[in-house]
Amino acid sequence: MIKIENLHKSYQTGANSLHVLKGLNLNIKEGELVSIMGSSGSGKSTFLNILGILDEADEGKYLLDGVPIKNLSEKKAANYRNKFLGFIFQSFNLIGYKSAIDNVALPLYYQGMKRAERLDRAMQYLEKVGLADWATHLPNQLSGGQKQRIAIARALASDPKVLLADEPTGALDTKTSYEIMNLIQEINDEGKTILVVTHEEDIAEMTKRIVHLRDGVIIKDTPVQQKRALDYV
Amino acid sequence: MFNRDQWDEILESLSSNWFRTIMTAFGVFWGIFILVILLAAGNGLGNGVKSNFSGLATNSMFMWSQPTSISYGGLNKGRRYNFKIGDVDAIKRNVKGLKIVSPRNRLGGFGGDNNVQRGLKKGAFNVYGDYPQIIEQQPMDITAGRFINQIDIDNERKVAVIGYSVVNELYTADEEILGTYVKINGVNFQVIGVYEKKGMRGQDVEEASKEIIVPFSTYGKAFHTGEDVGFMSITADDDHTITELKQEVFDVIKKRHRIAPEDNRAVGNFDLYQQFKKINGLMTTLNAVAYFVGILVLLSGIIGISNIMLIVVKERTNEIGVRRALGATPWSIKSQVLSESIFLTIIAGMAGISFATGVLWIANKYLDQIESDSIMFADPSVGLGAIITALLILVVSGLLAGFIPAQNAIKIKPVDALRTE
């Protein structure tokens, strides 16, 4: 599903050049649940941004579902993000003045789907994350865990190939974190490919494969025995 | 582009801060209000001035004889001469493009002795000897009876058409006027009609209607002017202006009266067309000034909108980042900002136009009541053309106002936009 070869990325800060990613190679197959671990500054956020087509690598190859991601126009990039990727952010990033269901329907809006159909689809995903009763609530009327569920529903709404989660539990307490991880595991069980960036050991252990990143190189890439989040809730 | 969702988006974001939206809109509201009021005021002034010309054949001049200023053909300078009735035909024959040539004579004048008498009542009035076509050059309403005609001229009938101010002075109320006689310089004329001058406002009509018109031929006989013509009123046809033809007219006169061709003082004239053109030019200038000032005021309103849109875009950087991560194309972000600014501009502009229209409506009502006073201001209004122009200006300015903010909105990379809190 994701094929990375010899990926390089550096940032220009004044006169200095900061080499953030130094030749990454990674292969992720369909249906995997992978966590990317590393301390801050290890390059994991940059890596995720490149995977999310929000940023572009200086060098190397990136194939997403067989499609080369290289030199895309902004329009094309937006199109690919919409079609291939679903984003889950640490700070949820819901749009404050839109109700839960409108937030979930937003990616479908950018697909040009009709309003009625869009809201119908959005409702299905709200039911999936267990928040159908909260459809008309604004984000600030919801708890952190609920907000993240809405965000997950939104990420799923356009039925993307890959879910990219950037510290999805970073702003949540342990119990809520496990609930969210449980939801992510359930979605993965249905066959969705998911990447989770985290620095929390226990969260990483709930995935099926851990990729360790340090100073821009992959130092360890190991499959793990998945711990079911449900056992801890 | 404008489906329901886009409207929802626009309304959602505009209504998220009502106070700011209204304050921003006020700038444009005020700008378009000033623009419309200025244009209407310019129009009002124009209407007021033009109503003084209304119906008047503006493509006309008046021409009278003056003492010569150059000796010529053995004749001394300072010689006085009179136009003759034969000049009229000569002018018509030699100058192509004229519509009407009216020879006129005048008796009496402002502050003159009482020259008209009826029974015991007396008055000082201007008495004109005229041809019937004068009514096409100096419009008047015949309120009773008829105007003079060619038969009156041919038969040298002693008939008179009197202005309504004459009626007021020489007749008592309810008195039968037509068929009565008035004595002008001792000669009796039968009254066949009453008229009121058009194109004069307020008090002027009163003064301008202190006139009596009698047939030109009768005038010559009765007041011993013979073939002499006091002055002429000449109108050019629609394909020519009197200004371009008048020199030819002067040349004919000079030739027939042995006046030096270069003697410019011997023929006095008042070119109505030139005056009219000057006033028209003034109105055009006024209109241009109104547009200029109005658009400048509007511009400051537009800059206000642009400013606020910049802030809104800045505030929503993170939201824009999220939208782009969810698949919003740069154009959809841009069109969102643009449509917000156009929408705001047009709504504010419409309100401004409506408010200005209301103010004009009230002003018109008030002006109607004081119309009898001779103020040079009438019917301040703006045409549909001006409104459409204003709306076009609004759409363009809305686009301009949104352009830089929209550009800013997509300038920042999605990844940076997402990082902004």
Side-chain angles (χ1 to χ4, degrees):
Chain A
M1 182 60 64
I2 290 176
K3 198 173 163 71
I4 297 288
E5 268 172 38
N6 192 29
L7 200 74
H8 285 269
K9 176 76 184 176
S10 44
Y11 287 112
Q12 222 65 36
T13 47
N16 304 325
S17 175
L18 188 62
H19 204 171
V20 184
L21 300 180
K22 304 164 182 169
L24 300 187
N25 291 290
L26 189 64
N27 229 322
I28 296 172
K29 287 190 287 292
E30 188 165 1
E32 280 200 81
L33 174 53
V34 182
S35 61
I36 297 171
M37 288 201 71
S39 54
S40 60
S42 61
K44 58 186 195 305
S45 288
T46 306
F47 186 39
L48 195 72
N49 285 336
I50 291 171
L51 289 178
I53 326 180
L54 293 165
D55 208 345
E56 204 173 8
D58 300 333
E59 207 182 294
K61 233 183 185 171
Y62 171 20
L63 288 176
L64 177 55
D65 197 24
V67 179
I69 307 298
K70 187 85 184 167
N71 293 330
L72 298 177
S73 69
E74 249 313 314
K75 194 178 167 195
K76 199 89 187 152
N79 195 341
Y80 282 6
R81 283 196 289 267
N82 185 277
K83 225 164 48 182
F84 291 144
L85 302 166
F87 291 88
I88 302 164
F89 303 95
Q90 179 177 359
S91 51
F92 323 127
N93 278 336
L94 298 175
I95 292 172
Y97 54 83
K98 282 184 179 294
S99 67
I101 191 165
D102 281 338
N103 264 292
V104 175
L106 202 56
L108 303 174
Y109 169 60
Y110 288 120
Q111 278 182 359
M113 191 182 283
K114 289 242 172 358
R115 188 179 166 80
E117 193 186 346
R118 206 164 69 213
L119 292 181
D120 201 47
R121 279 274 286 276
M123 201 60 192
Q124 285 173 26
Y125 283 103
L126 277 179
E127 272 163 20
K128 194 180 177 73
V129 298
L131 287 174
D133 294 342
W134 302 83
T136 56
H137 285 66
L138 291 175
N140 60 13
Q141 296 167 320
L142 303 171
S143 71
Q146 286 172 323
K147 281 187 211 172
Q148 196 60 297
R149 281 166 186 272
I150 302 287
I152 290 172
R154 181 177 67 182
L156 287 172
S158 59
D159 193 21
K161 307 262 184 220
V162 178
L163 281 192
L164 298 174
D166 188 4
E167 305 266 8
T169 60
L172 304 172
D173 60 51
T174 313
K175 184 170 173 291
T176 319
S177 292
Y178 289 168
E179 283 168 9
I180 293 297
M181 280 316 288
N182 179 45
L183 182 60
I184 289 178
Q185 284 176 340
E186 279 173 20
I187 295 163
N188 176 246
D189 291 343
E190 289 169 19
K192 191 75 78 189
T193 315
I194 305 177
L195 251 89
V196 180
V197 166
T198 182
H199 61 268
E200 291 165 85
E201 203 70 51
D202 53 340
I203 298 298
E205 280 170 0
M206 291 175 183
T207 63
K208 294 172 176 171
R209 175 181 170 191
I210 304 179
V211 175
H212 280 272
L213 218 63
R214 184 186 289 166
D215 298 330
V217 287
I218 295 172
I219 54 165
K220 215 163 80 181
D221 182 353
T222 48
V224 291
Q225 182 57 47
Q226 187 185 30
K227 288 184 179 168
R228 297 303 294 194
L230 205 57
D231 303 338
Y232 296 85
V233 176
Chain B
M1 160 176 174
F2 281 101
N3 46 29
R4 191 185 147 193
D5 299 302
Q6 187 125 20
W7 285 114
D8 283 350
E9 298 261 316
I10 291 171
L11 290 178
E12 264 175 355
S13 64
L14 286 182
S15 60
S16 62
N17 194 337
W18 272 118
F19 184 66
R20 182 165 75 190
T21 301
I22 288 170
M23 291 307 280
T24 309
F26 185 78
V28 165
F29 166 84
W30 192 241
I32 204 85
F33 173 73
I34 296 279
L35 176 64
V36 172
I37 290 290
L38 279 177
L39 287 179
N43 265 346
L45 198 59
N47 289 342
V49 172
K50 276 184 191 159
S51 74
N52 282 343
F53 285 91
S54 82
L56 212 58
T58 45
N59 195 9
S60 300
M61 68 158 175
F62 304 107
M63 179 177 82
W64 58 91
S65 61
Q66 290 181 163
T68 58
S69 62
I70 298 171
S71 53
Y72 179 73
L75 295 167
N76 285 335
K77 69 175 183 176
R79 173 177 63 98
R80 291 176 182 279
Y81 72 101
N82 272 318
F83 295 153
K84 297 288 176 191
I85 193 71
D87 294 341
V88 176
D89 274 335
I91 290 170
K92 280 183 186 165
R93 243 192 344 267
N94 291 309
V95 184
K96 296 283 164 260
L98 294 178
K99 196 161 112 190
I100 306 169
V101 182
S102 292
R104 306 188 73 186
N105 271 317
R106 193 178 77 178
L107 195 70
F110 296 109
D113 288 338
N114 289 337
N115 53 1
V116 180
Q117 195 178 358
R118 176 174 178 270
L120 296 174
K121 291 185 174 172
K122 289 177 182 174
F125 304 105
N126 284 320
V127 180
Y128 291 94
D130 268 319
Y131 277 89
Q133 73 258 23
I134 192 69
I135 199 163
E136 288 171 47
Q137 289 169 304
Q138 292 206 333
M140 38 196 130
D141 286 327
I142 306 299
T143 54
R146 63 171 178 89
F147 197 61
I148 55 171
N149 58 28
Q150 192 57 39
I151 302 165
D152 297 330
I153 301 279
D154 294 342
N155 297 341
E156 294 170 7
R157 282 183 186 157
K158 285 192 212 142
V159 292
V161 184
I162 61 178
Y164 84 91
S165 303
V166 178
V167 176
N168 290 345
E169 288 195 30
L170 298 186
Y171 293 81
T172 53
D174 305 328
E175 207 170 349
E176 181 59 41
I177 299 157
L178 301 180
T180 59
Y181 287 86
V182 291
K183 202 176 255 183
I184 303 170
N185 274 7
V187 181
N188 266 321
F189 285 82
Q190 187 174 30
V191 176
I192 56 166
V194 179
Y195 72 88
E196 182 179 339
K197 272 215 170 169
K198 274 200 294 200
M200 303 287 174
R201 296 175 62 81
Q203 305 294 337
D204 288 344
V205 181
E206 190 82 26
E207 200 55 51
S209 297
K210 283 190 174 180
E211 290 178 356
I212 295 174
I213 294 174
V214 302
F216 189 87
S217 53
T218 323
Y219 184 102
K221 277 271 166 59
F223 308 121
H224 315 296
T225 51
E227 302 262 280
D228 289 351
V229 173
F231 62 107
M232 290 190 206
S233 185
I234 303 178
T235 303
D237 66 22
D238 293 343
D239 298 331
H240 301 81
T241 70
I242 194 66
T243 310
E244 59 191 35
L245 292 179
K246 66 181 179 185
Q247 196 54 49
E248 287 181 50
V249 175
F250 299 158
D251 289 343
V252 172
I253 292 292
K254 284 172 187 170
K255 213 172 195 173
R256 290 175 59 86
H257 293 277
R258 291 178 71 185
I259 298 164
E262 66 272 23
D263 190 346
N264 290 327
R265 288 205 216 156
V267 186
N269 75 89
F270 179 82
D271 188 338
L272 199 60
Y273 181 74
Q274 229 169 22
Q275 302 299 317
F276 190 68
K277 232 171 65 178
K278 266 187 205 163
I279 288 170
N280 263 351
L282 184 71
M283 288 308 140
T284 310
T285 314
L286 265 179
N287 225 20
V289 169
Y291 264 110
F292 182 69
V293 175
I295 285 175
L296 282 190
V297 177
L298 188 61
L299 191 67
S300 64
I302 291 159
I303 289 173
I305 290 209
S306 199
N307 247 330
I308 290 294
M309 292 309 293
L310 276 176
I311 295 173
V312 167
V313 164
K314 188 100 195 148
E315 273 181 354
R316 295 210 306 230
T317 305
N318 179 255
E319 180 194 320
I320 290 168
V322 174
R323 283 172 182 269
R324 295 185 69 177
L326 295 180
T329 57
W331 168 245
S332 73
I333 299 284
K334 225 164 134 175
S335 82
Q336 181 69 25
V337 176
L338 281 177
S339 49
E340 259 182 62
S341 97
I342 292 175
F343 179 74
L344 195 59
T345 314
I346 289 181
I347 289 294
M350 294 280 214
I353 290 173
S354 311
F355 184 58
T357 314
V359 168
L360 288 177
W361 183 71
I362 292 168
N364 269 326
K365 272 197 123 176
Y366 178 68
L367 280 173
D368 280 348
Q369 284 168 6
I370 56 167
E371 199 185 20
S372 52
D373 289 332
S374 162
I375 47 168
M376 242 195 220
F377 198 82
D379 190 22
S381 59
V382 284
L384 196 63
I387 296 291
I388 289 170
T389 311
L391 280 178
L392 275 179
I393 291 173
L394 280 176
V395 174
V396 171
S397 49
L399 270 174
L400 284 178
F403 188 73
I404 295 172
Q407 213 57 38
N408 269 11
I410 59 163
K411 211 167 59 188
I412 185 163
K413 276 165 61 181
V415 56
D416 296 324
L418 272 171
R419 233 177 261 141
T420 317
E421 284 304 321

